[in-house]
Amino acid sequence: GTTGPPSAAPGPAGPPPASPSAAGTPSASPSATGTPPASPSATGTPPASPSATGTPPASPSATGTPPASAGAAGPPADFGSPPASPSATRTPSASAGAAVPPAVPAADFGPPSVPPVAGSPSTAPAAGSLPAPPVAFVAEADGSGPLVAPPASVPRARGHVGSRPPTYDAEPTALPSADPDDLGDLVPDTVLDGARYGACTLRAASVRGDSARYRGEPRRDALLTARFGTGEHALVLVAMATGARTAPGAHRAAAEACHWIGRAVGRSHARLVEDIRGGRRGDLKSGLHRLTDRSLGKLRASASEQGVAPEEYAAGLRCLLLPADPDCRTRVFFGVGPGGLFRLREGEWQDIEPQVADVRGEAVLGYGSPPPETPEGDRLTMDLGIPTPPSPYEPAPEPPREPFRFRTSVARPGDTLLMCSGGLAEPLRGEPELGEYLAERWSRPEPPGLAAFLADSQVRVKGYADDRTAAAVWEA
């Protein structure tokens, strides 16, 4: 039932493998003695392997010895022992009916090989070197070409502009202190919003400044985006406010200012839409001036209720009105306080912030002291140089108020209108590289997404670490 080792037959050149039959000394089989045969390292004679000699081993048909039948099985080999002879484990049986793949060395654990792309050099690693990195493209099954084309290079958003990086970290460091009984007073680090109505696309963001992030102070800027009405009669309001720098409740004052102006505009939105459509600039200016004064007056009243000085509980306010009617391209800006209003047209920035005169107007009868003389030049009192004590009947002088700013503009297709607080307006005016960078990013055919707009609006500049609030409108 069993056959012995194949007889020695004339074969190819090369030393024959060291086997007990070749040495002429009979030896017991491993199954009988339990001792494995001598390894090549013990005898000092290298084995004649195909890889060493370059000559393929003799097949059974070449030696004339019939192979062992598939049904005959030898004794089980011990684990860890080498095979009795290379022909017993490496030579496939002709009558097995299926080819047996060669054994894979234990060190060849790695990613599966990828068929190379036609016409490309081989990526197989050299002997003794590290494996090559994974192929960047997936090839067809027949190796005809790549399935995925390489992505086009897209410029990434920059972290800062200027010759030197800013002092503070780019990401938030410390959180503001929280009151467990007043958690509604907390202000998030970043606010992001957007919409599309009519012919315009809106992007708005408010980000805590680097200085406030480092010191753990709340964001003093507030942002409100709201829509009043439906259909073509709808009106979109964007309001942003900035509280006083040194006031402890600056973030509350800014949020309250946005709240009051939002309520006032929402209640009058129908009349405002009619005035914008009709181009009634005078009615718009007087009406919005009245709504702004009323909102800031409520803010001052709130300061007196809290026992705080009006100048400490104050905020600058800037607003933008966008009608939803696609046939109406009139954009209305109004507000009080510092900031910026810019227009990007044909790749160039235009500073269209409305300028106000230093003269605030003439004295109004009934408020303060009467004028010292009549319009004809007659003196009403004689000035003797004696200081007059303040009268208890006169109201206390109020701190000077910021002038009211108003502007209407008709947008052109391709324009980008930017309204921002002082935290972004100052570096835009002071660092030309920032303006060039934003002009390149925002002059593309499509408006940026929310994440891209946020990344662009917070590009940092050394020396400018205040809160940034920006609202940009792209015209289709």
Side-chain angles (χ1 to χ4, degrees):
T2 59
T3 60
S7 61
S19 62
S21 59
T25 304
S27 60
S29 63
S31 60
T33 63
T35 304
S39 61
S41 60
T43 61
T45 303
S49 61
S51 60
T53 62
T55 305
S59 61
S61 60
T63 59
T65 304
S69 61
D78 297 337
F79 290 102
S81 302
S85 64
S87 61
T89 57
R90 293 292 185 179
T91 305
S93 173
S95 59
V100 180
V104 180
D108 292 342
F109 289 103
S113 61
V114 180
V117 181
S120 62
S122 175
T123 58
S129 63
L130 295 177
V135 182
F137 308 106
V138 180
E140 296 277 5
D142 56 355
S144 59
L147 288 174
V148 181
S153 58
V154 179
R156 298 181 179 179
R158 298 180 60 180
H160 68 88
V161 295
S163 58
R164 293 181 298 168
T167 304
Y168 300 100
D169 294 336
E171 300 298 333
T173 303
L175 291 173
S177 178
D179 183 2
D181 297 327
D182 192 11
L183 296 179
D185 189 50
L186 294 177
V187 180
D189 177 270
T190 303
V191 175
L192 185 62
D193 205 353
R196 177 177 295 177
Y197 284 98
C200 63
T201 300
L202 171 65
R203 298 288 183 261
S206 182
V207 183
R208 188 164 54 136
D210 292 345
S211 177
R213 285 176 167 179
Y214 177 78
R215 294 181 171 84
E217 299 173 353
R219 177 168 48 89
R220 295 183 296 111
D221 282 5
L223 175 65
L224 172 67
T225 54
R227 173 182 61 88
F228 304 104
T230 58
E232 296 182 356
H233 299 278
L235 182 66
V236 177
L237 166 68
V238 182
M240 57 183 66
T242 303
R245 183 181 298 274
T246 58
H251 61 289
R252 289 190 292 268
E256 194 170 347
C258 290
H259 171 78
W260 287 119
I261 194 64
R263 177 176 294 185
V265 170
R267 291 176 176 176
S268 305
H269 76 276
R271 175 66 183 273
L272 291 173
V273 169
E274 293 178 0
D275 291 342
I276 294 175
R277 281 180 165 182
R280 293 186 282 269
R281 187 177 183 276
D283 294 344
L284 279 172
K285 183 176 181 180
S286 60
L288 293 174
H289 194 176
R290 183 170 58 253
L291 295 181
T292 303
D293 284 347
R294 189 180 304 170
S295 301
L296 296 180
K298 292 183 178 181
L299 190 63
R300 290 188 292 269
S302 178
S304 62
E305 292 176 359
Q306 301 176 22
V308 183
E311 62 271 14
E312 295 182 1
Y313 198 78
L317 182 64
R318 306 177 72 81
C319 302
L320 193 63
L321 296 179
L322 307 172
D325 187 359
D327 296 331
C328 181
R329 289 186 177 266
T330 303
R331 313 299 179 225
V332 181
F333 162 79
F334 66 97
V336 171
L341 184 66
F342 304 91
R343 179 171 56 203
L344 181 61
R345 176 173 289 177
E346 297 179 356
E348 298 292 336
W349 285 109
Q350 302 173 0
D351 192 344
I352 59 174
E353 176 76 10
Q355 303 297 325
V356 293
D358 295 334
V359 180
R360 307 289 178 86
E362 297 181 355
V364 180
L365 185 61
Y367 293 89
S369 302
E373 59 184 20
T374 63
E376 290 77 13
D378 297 335
R379 302 284 297 182
L380 300 179
T381 58
M382 184 179 294
D383 186 6
L384 302 178
I386 303 174
T388 305
S391 172
Y393 301 103
E394 292 184 359
E398 294 183 358
R401 302 181 184 179
E402 291 284 344
F404 178 74
R405 302 174 185 268
F406 174 84
R407 185 184 184 96
T408 60
S409 62
V410 178
R412 297 180 185 176
D415 285 356
T416 301
L417 183 64
L418 173 65
M419 179 184 69
C420 56
S421 62
L424 183 58
E426 293 177 2
L428 265 178
R429 297 187 176 110
E431 179 55 57
E433 188 176 353
L434 178 61
E436 295 173 1
Y437 174 74
L438 294 181
E440 190 276 332
R441 296 280 295 180
W442 293 351
S443 296
R444 299 175 181 179
E446 293 295 329
L450 291 179
F453 177 76
L454 176 62
D456 294 338
S457 60
Q458 62 181 353
V459 172
R460 304 184 303 150
V461 182
K462 186 174 180 60
Y464 302 94
D466 288 341
D467 300 346
R468 288 187 180 183
T469 303
V473 181
W474 278 262
E475 300 293 338

